[in-house]
Amino acid sequence: MKFLANENFPVPSIALLRSNGHDVASIREDNRGASDDAVLRRAVTEQRILLTLDRDYGELIFSQGHIAPPAVVYFRSFPSAPDRAALDVLDLIADGTVLMGMFTTISSGPIIRHRELS
């Protein structure tokens, strides 16, 4: 899968997703300090699933009407371990959870909620 890791997404999780064969672009690595609008536009343009710990993307997409990327995975709280975010994403993929077209929120527990983007 193609992901875009927001600047706040843990580096060890980026590495773990890459080691599992996923294409992960990283704002921290190549566009540090980019605005939320710029990150969202990039996810849309490159057709990447946005991985973030920033709740502003829900506001941008659902309240302000910005064009949504293929999917968003929002981690509501900082993961308990640096690789936990990647493990949660890998578990979702392994379980056959549909990410595309969804705004997925992962809370501690983990409690997972999905909302359609369209």
Side-chain angles (χ1 to χ4, degrees):
M1 297 186 107
K2 289 176 62 173
F3 295 103
L4 177 59
N6 198 11
E7 191 168 350
N8 58 10
F9 196 75
V11 172
S13 284
I14 293 169
L16 182 57
L17 288 170
R18 287 176 176 161
S19 72
N20 276 271
H22 297 285
D23 177 352
V24 184
S26 169
I27 296 298
R28 178 189 306 253
E29 293 172 356
D30 57 24
N31 200 8
R32 194 173 210 121
S35 69
D36 290 346
D37 286 335
V39 172
L40 192 56
R41 279 193 308 275
R42 180 173 175 188
V44 169
T45 300
E46 296 180 11
Q47 289 296 285
R48 293 181 179 274
I49 297 170
L50 179 60
L51 303 172
T52 187
L53 279 75
D54 185 348
R55 68 180 175 173
D56 293 343
Y57 292 98
E59 173 74 19
L60 290 172
I61 294 167
F62 295 115
S63 296
Q64 295 182 23
H66 287 245
I67 297 172
V72 176
V73 179
Y74 161 55
F75 295 84
R76 197 161 178 221
S77 57
F78 198 82
S80 58
D83 62 350
R84 182 74 252 164
L87 292 170
D88 287 343
V89 171
L90 293 170
D91 286 347
L92 288 173
I93 294 167
D95 289 345
T97 301
V98 175
L99 296 177
M100 301 307 277
M102 303 300 276
F103 189 102
T104 300
T105 302
I106 300 176
S107 302
S108 57
I111 298 169
I112 300 167
R113 293 180 298 147
H114 303 283
R115 180 175 176 185
E116 288 187 37
L117 286 168
S118 50

